[in-house]
Amino acid sequence: MTTYATRTLLKETIIDELQLLPELLRKAETKYYEAQHQLAEKRGRLADAETAWTSGDASPYKDETARYAAFRAFTGPLHADIREAQALADRLKAEVDFLQRRHDNYRVMASLIANG
């Protein structure tokens, strides 16, 4: 059994979390969508660079291995940027999912306390 003071403290904690979590969730979603936008921009820059390279610099290479090595050197930094942006977007998505589940759990707890 819990005491009245414990139940009151639990209710206050749940109310505080329910007031705080929507703002945290909104901020996390904003960061996530911004990261997704940055990722899309970087993918677009990579596509532009690949197109520019194949239309201009690809012809002097007779050997396929040398051509591929030059292509990787040309697009390598863009690939690294995309990997970093994807990792950031994945981390932010995990944070958004965590906050969403946490908010849902607190809503369930609040409804159980209100009904019980």
Side-chain angles (χ1 to χ4, degrees), residues 45-58 71 74:
R45 276 188 263 148
L46 176 65
D48 291 344
E50 288 174 347
T51 303
W53 192 84
T54 54
S55 65
D57 295 335
F71 179 73
F74 185 72

Side-chain angles (χ1 to χ4, degrees), residues 53-54 57-59 61-72:
W53 192 84
T54 54
D57 295 335
S59 57
Y61 298 100
K62 303 292 185 211
D63 183 15
E64 183 67 24
T65 306
R67 188 186 71 75
Y68 182 72
F71 179 73
R72 290 299 295 172

Side-chain angles (χ1 to χ4, degrees), residues 6-110:
T6 304
R7 286 192 304 271
T8 304
L9 182 62
L10 183 61
K11 287 178 187 178
E12 290 174 0
T13 303
I14 290 172
I15 290 170
D16 290 343
E17 286 290 327
L18 283 173
Q19 291 173 349
L20 179 67
L21 280 172
E23 182 65 21
L24 290 175
L25 185 58
R26 186 187 64 77
K27 288 179 182 178
E29 286 175 339
T30 301
K31 288 179 185 177
Y32 171 67
Y33 292 129
E34 185 178 308
Q36 286 292 100
H37 178 69
Q38 293 292 329
L39 179 61
E41 282 183 4
K42 290 179 181 186
R43 285 183 175 152
R45 276 188 263 148
L46 176 65
D48 291 344
E50 288 174 347
T51 303
W53 192 84
T54 54
S55 65
D57 295 335
S59 57
Y61 298 100
K62 303 292 185 211
D63 183 15
E64 183 67 24
T65 306
R67 188 186 71 75
Y68 182 72
F71 179 73
R72 290 299 295 172
F74 185 72
T75 60
L78 295 172
H79 282 285
D81 287 345
I82 288 174
R83 282 192 301 274
E84 290 174 10
Q86 183 67 51
L88 176 64
D90 290 345
R91 283 192 302 273
L92 291 172
K93 178 63 175 161
E95 182 180 346
V96 167
D97 291 343
F98 168 75
L99 289 171
Q100 183 64 48
R101 285 190 308 273
R102 186 173 168 190
H103 186 255
D104 292 344
N105 288 340
Y106 274 104
R107 285 191 339 200
V108 168
M109 286 189 278

